[in-house]
Amino acid sequence: MNPEKDFAPLTPNIVRALNDKLYEKRKVAALEIEKLVREFVAQNNTVQIKHVIQTLSQEFALSQHPHSRKGGLIGLAACSIALGKDSGLYLKELIEPVLTCFNDADSRLRYYACEALYNIVKVARGAVLPHFNVLFDGLSKLAADPDPNVKSGSELLDRLLKDIVTESNRFDLVGFIPLLRERIYSNNQYARQFLISWILVLESVPDINLLDYLPEILDGLFQILGDNGKEIRKMCEVVLGEFLKEIKKNPSSVKFAEMANILVIHCQTTDDLIQLTAMCWMREFIQLAGRVMLPYSSGILTAVLPCLAYDDRKKSIKEVANVCNQSLMKLVTPEDDEPDELKPVVLRQAEPNPDDSLVKQEGTVSGGPSGSCDSSFSSGISVFTPASTERAPVTLHLDGIVQVLNCHLSDTAIGMMTRIAVLKWLYHLYIKTPRKMFRHTDSLFPILLQTLSDESDEVILKDLEVLAEIASSPAGQTDDPGPLDGPDLQVRHSELQVPPTGRAGLMNTPGTKGLECSPSTPTMNSYFYKFMINLLKRFSSERKLLEVRGAFIIRQLCLLLNAENIFHSMADILLQEEDLKFASTMVHTLNTILLTSTELFQLRNQLKDLRTLESQNLFCCLYRSWCHNPVTTVSLCFLTQNYRHAYDLIQKFGDLEVTVDFLTEVDKLVQLIECPIFTYLRLQLLDVKNNPYLIKALYGLLMLLPQSSAFQLLSHRLQCVPNPELLQTEDSLKAAPKSQKADAPSIDYAELLQHFEKVQKKHLEVRHQRSGRGDHLDRKVAPLTAQPPGLQCCQLHPGIQTELASHLGGAPASDATHPLESVSF
């Protein structure tokens, strides 16, 4: 510093002392400056006061010499003390050079700067509030200072400034929020602690409503919640807890919509504490804001659904996520199926965008448990949408929701509970918003069919509920069903069309095909037949599904839909099936279900009585497809009490190619006759005169069988048939013998028999073609491992394999690959 330079009104002694390296001499100079400034104040000499401050600032505090800077700092503090209440007039000039010294490389100088600013602020008190942002900015840097003395000094200054803010009602919150929003993304733990402490203070001041600006700092708070320091995490938890309490107290003033996407993001983080806290907030938002949250449903579901599959290690998160899911589902109502212009309006806080459900912003957490689904829904739209008081309808953006649900259902790695929740959502949407949902049915249909192969029975049940609702909803009825588009919706036969409304009879019309009597009732729509077609196609392409779950799926569909329609439509489709082996297997499966499942009780009763046009129509339809399997055709005749026709069929068996599989099915039919389902048939054996063809048909089966255990079983049963002479009474002798049940006159049994012969001829040709290519001649019927109830009494008798093999001239089966072991009725 130039000693000859004029520093007036500072005396040379003051200047010399300010530049001294000893603190005591600088302090003496400060006292002299204080005395000098007081005189200027008394004289109201503002020019000289400004000159002193400017000199201390430019020539000392901002000097290149470290001792001069220290002297300048203590001199500025002395000026402030001398100015007293008038220091507010010169605060800008006093504060700026001190704050500059906060960045000094010398830690002692930073400490002196902190000390000087403390004295300036202490004197000025509330007058410093217009300069709060620059003070806060400087303090936030000192909070992370590595020197403990500097940190200690900054803490004293911080407490003083908090006291001033707390006791004042002139704090400029609007001007402070941008700075807070910027600094809240600091990664330094001390800076984070400093910020959290200030947010707690501001939240506690009654005159400061920080809740209005929560959307701007909420994301940063959640990031701080993931800090490695336990103390900081705890402080942040407290802050978030206070905000949530305030939200519950004043929900009407909360900008829920502006914070929804922030919560969506943090509900997907891998940090348990952040995820649980964000999920708790989401739960409260959905319950407090109600339908305001609907436009963000796709993002919420993306965050919530994967959590439903969590194990006990994340039980608390799973439970809260489940509440969120249930609460959100309740918000969807039938009014969401109406056109937007007809919907009631609500006060909209922010214009929701259906595509910004997973909005990501710089510095926020991205990714999560279902990251594979996230990218489809993210966008660069700002979360901080300005509030609006415009009244507009709250819109359920179904496209985004369906896309999220489809994505999660397609993800093979997703948990079972998540898949169940997705299916519950789809079912709920089809119930509440059927018209809008049917626009998405073609895209959902393939994945719903694929889900039938799921390992979980509960998932399959929910999936079937959705498919049944699609097939029966009035909203799915169309005059023109249109082409069956999509890779999984192509039908193998071009002539296969959705049946027309009504039932065309199959009576006395030998050339009529089964398709003409296809079901179309008010409870079914155009998607029903598509469903049946594709279900059978899936069974055909995935035989394991048919073996393991086929019976289970069909039985459940019979409960959910009309059992007659299920069987009627499948019979129609199988009538045109080109894969005859599959057709035979499928008919076998359907017949087993028809004869043994409790769900089919009413349908069996309907078929027992062929007096009505409906029952005759159904019988003819089933019969034509049942012809793919001779033994099942006979069992259908037994069920419908068409004993004469059953006898005629058995007579034709002599012309068929007898295989091990064929004899096995006859064996099982014999054992089935012993089951409760055919109790009425066995009782009819008492009326020998009126049921001669029943007895002849049973004898026909007996003649088909080798002398196995099944042969003995049927033989013993027929030995129990009473002598008709012994059963005659006086009244019966007088009465002319009359058949208890005549054949239905409107059914052309001759034409049905011709159809049977035609179908069996096709099967024989196909088997011979396979044999010519080196394949085995014998067909193996696909096993039904999921055996329906009521069939436990119909297992093969021990020794049947040995007996059948010996009668056929072969050796007994020695391994599990024998056809007899792969078949179950």
Side-chain angles (χ1 to χ4, degrees), residues 327-477:
S327 300
L328 186 64
M329 189 179 291
K330 291 177 183 177
L331 297 180
V332 181
T333 62
E335 72 181 52
D336 292 305
D337 206 27
E338 301 170 358
D340 293 343
E341 59 270 14
L342 300 179
K343 293 179 183 176
V345 297
V346 297
L347 186 63
R348 181 174 59 185
Q349 297 176 330
E351 175 65 31
N353 189 307
D355 299 322
D356 68 349
S357 299
L358 292 182
V359 60
K360 304 283 192 298
Q361 60 185 59
E362 187 175 354
T364 60
V365 177
S366 62
S370 60
S372 60
C373 296
D374 290 353
S375 59
S376 301
F377 310 101
S378 60
S379 71
I381 301 172
S382 172
V383 177
F384 309 120
T385 310
S388 170
T389 57
E390 179 188 357
R391 297 181 70 84
V394 171
T395 305
L396 178 71
H397 300 292
L398 208 57
D399 292 358
I401 294 176
V402 171
Q403 193 176 358
V404 171
L405 296 175
N406 200 335
C407 175
H408 282 83
L409 197 60
S410 303
D411 187 354
T412 55
I414 211 73
M416 179 191 73
M417 296 308 297
T418 295
R419 293 198 300 278
I420 291 173
V422 168
L423 292 166
K424 285 181 177 179
W425 259 101
L426 289 172
Y427 182 78
H428 183 72
L429 291 173
Y430 271 109
I431 294 293
K432 299 296 183 181
T433 60
R435 288 184 296 178
K436 287 186 177 180
M437 276 301 293
F438 267 95
R439 301 171 190 168
H440 303 278
T441 298
D442 287 343
S443 64
L444 288 169
F445 210 66
I447 187 61
L448 289 172
L449 285 168
Q450 185 179 334
T451 306
L452 291 175
S453 302
D454 197 275
E455 295 179 355
S456 166
D457 286 352
E458 194 172 352
V459 171
I460 295 176
L461 282 173
K462 294 300 177 186
D463 190 41
L464 289 172
E465 286 182 17
V466 178
L467 287 166
E469 182 59 29
I470 291 174
S472 61
S473 174
Q477 188 63 55

Side-chain angles (χ1 to χ4, degrees), residues 306-317:
C307 301
L308 301 178
Y310 284 172
D311 55 23
D312 289 341
R313 290 174 296 177
K314 294 186 176 184
K315 184 179 179 181
S316 54
I317 299 175

Side-chain angles (χ1 to χ4, degrees), residues 677-692:
I677 195 71
F678 279 119
T679 300
Y680 69 92
L681 181 147
R682 297 195 300 273
L683 290 174
Q684 287 174 356
L685 291 175
L686 294 172
D687 191 357
V688 178
K689 285 189 174 292
N690 289 326
N691 293 289

Side-chain angles (χ1 to χ4, degrees), residues 660-704:
V660 173
D661 287 346
F662 177 85
L663 292 176
T664 303
E665 290 188 26
V666 175
D667 177 282
K668 290 185 177 182
L669 176 58
V670 169
Q671 297 178 54
L672 189 64
I673 292 171
E674 297 298 316
C675 291
I677 195 71
F678 279 119
T679 300
Y680 69 92
L681 181 147
R682 297 195 300 273
L683 290 174
Q684 287 174 356
L685 291 175
L686 294 172
D687 191 357
V688 178
K689 285 189 174 292
N690 289 326
N691 293 289
Y693 286 102
L694 169 59
I695 298 173
K696 294 179 73 174
L698 293 177
Y699 269 109
L701 290 179
L702 187 67
M703 296 302 106
L704 285 171

Side-chain angles (χ1 to χ4, degrees), residues 193-400:
Q193 194 168 8
F194 171 77
L195 289 163
I196 291 294
S197 67
W198 267 102
I199 293 173
L200 268 174
V201 168
L202 295 175
E203 174 65 12
S204 66
V205 178
D207 295 331
I208 297 177
N209 187 11
L210 199 56
L211 195 61
D212 284 345
Y213 303 93
L214 182 57
E216 303 197 44
I217 61 172
L218 184 61
D219 180 64
L221 285 173
F222 272 106
Q223 294 215 28
I224 293 176
L225 189 61
D227 194 273
N228 293 328
K230 290 184 180 179
E231 185 178 351
I232 297 175
R233 288 167 74 100
K234 186 63 180 176
M235 287 178 64
C236 195
E237 270 192 278
V238 172
V239 169
L240 287 169
E242 290 299 318
F243 273 124
L244 195 55
K245 287 179 185 176
E246 192 68 22
I247 288 170
K248 291 179 182 179
K249 290 179 183 177
N250 306 289
S252 59
S253 61
V254 179
K255 300 172 182 176
F256 291 105
E258 294 183 27
M259 293 183 280
N261 289 326
I262 299 172
L263 296 182
V264 165
I265 293 167
H266 293 287
C267 281
Q268 298 175 75
T269 186
T270 54
D271 185 289
D272 288 356
L273 179 59
I274 295 177
Q275 190 176 30
L276 176 59
T277 306
M279 200 67 72
C280 289
W281 276 60
M282 184 69 78
R283 176 190 62 196
E284 298 300 331
F285 272 36
I286 295 171
Q287 294 176 352
L288 293 171
R291 288 181 59 83
V292 171
M293 301 296 288
L294 269 184
Y296 304 91
S297 298
S298 58
I300 295 171
L301 288 175
T302 301
V304 167
L305 288 173
C307 301
L308 301 178
Y310 284 172
D311 55 23
D312 289 341
R313 290 174 296 177
K314 294 186 176 184
K315 184 179 179 181
S316 54
I317 299 175
K318 178 180 179 179
E319 290 173 350
V320 180
N322 186 54
V323 175
C324 289
N325 184 56
Q326 297 295 328
S327 300
L328 186 64
M329 189 179 291
K330 291 177 183 177
L331 297 180
V332 181
T333 62
E335 72 181 52
D336 292 305
D337 206 27
E338 301 170 358
D340 293 343
E341 59 270 14
L342 300 179
K343 293 179 183 176
V345 297
V346 297
L347 186 63
R348 181 174 59 185
Q349 297 176 330
E351 175 65 31
N353 189 307
D355 299 322
D356 68 349
S357 299
L358 292 182
V359 60
K360 304 283 192 298
Q361 60 185 59
E362 187 175 354
T364 60
V365 177
S366 62
S370 60
S372 60
C373 296
D374 290 353
S375 59
S376 301
F377 310 101
S378 60
S379 71
I381 301 172
S382 172
V383 177
F384 309 120
T385 310
S388 170
T389 57
E390 179 188 357
R391 297 181 70 84
V394 171
T395 305
L396 178 71
H397 300 292
L398 208 57
D399 292 358

